[in-house]
Each structure stands twice: as structure tokens, then as C-alpha cells.
């Protein structure tokens, strides 16, 4: 869960959304999103994660499942690009 910032960044990229847009839609500050995406939170608050999930059009469970899928994809890509 501590890597959720990387997944949020990926989701923003997939949706062609900048931090300001996500901040506005989720009612979470741009500064918070910046710190979250750069790994400056050990574990972000669930209320904020839920608000971010809703901004992307997901409920919390769907969003967390998507994060798990993205994690698996990232790990598969890392293994595929080995030596």
C-alpha cells in the first residue's frame, strides 16, 4: 500500500490527467498528491485514497484491485527486461 503513489501517477498518465485536475476532482491538495506520488507517505489516509479512487471513477475496492494489477504488470515488465 505504501507504493500507491506510483499507481496513482500511472492512473493519471493513463487518464491524461495532471495533478491539478486530480486535486480538484478528489478535493485533495496538489501538494499532498505530489508527496504521495513521490513516496513521502508511508501509508496515506484511507479517506484520501477513497476520494482519489472516486475521482478516477472507481470505488475503493475496485481501485485497490487495479493497483494490485498494476503492481503485477510492473513486476512482470521488470522481469521481462532482465539481463
Amino acid at each position: 500500500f505504501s507504493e500507491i503513489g506510483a499507481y496513482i501517477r500511472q492512473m493519471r498518465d493513463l487518464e491524461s490527467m495532471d495533478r491539478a485536475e486530480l486535486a480538484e476532482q478528489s478535493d485533495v491538495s496538489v501538494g499532498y498528491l505530489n508527496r504521495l506520488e513521490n513516496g513521502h507517505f508511508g501509508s496515506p489516509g484511507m479517506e484520501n485514497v477513497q476520494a482519489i479512487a472516486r475521482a478516477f471513477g472507481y470505488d475503493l475496492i475496485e481501485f485497490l484491485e487495479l493497483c494490485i494489477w498494476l503492481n503485477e504488470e510492473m513486476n512482470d515488465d521488470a522481469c521481462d527486461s532482465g539481463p
Side-chain angles (χ1 to χ4, degrees), residues 39-61:
H40 297 288
F41 287 111
S43 182
M46 277 303 219
E47 288 180 5
N48 288 331
V49 174
Q50 189 168 21
I52 292 166
R54 280 193 307 263
F56 285 123
Y58 298 101
D59 68 29
L60 182 60
I61 300 302

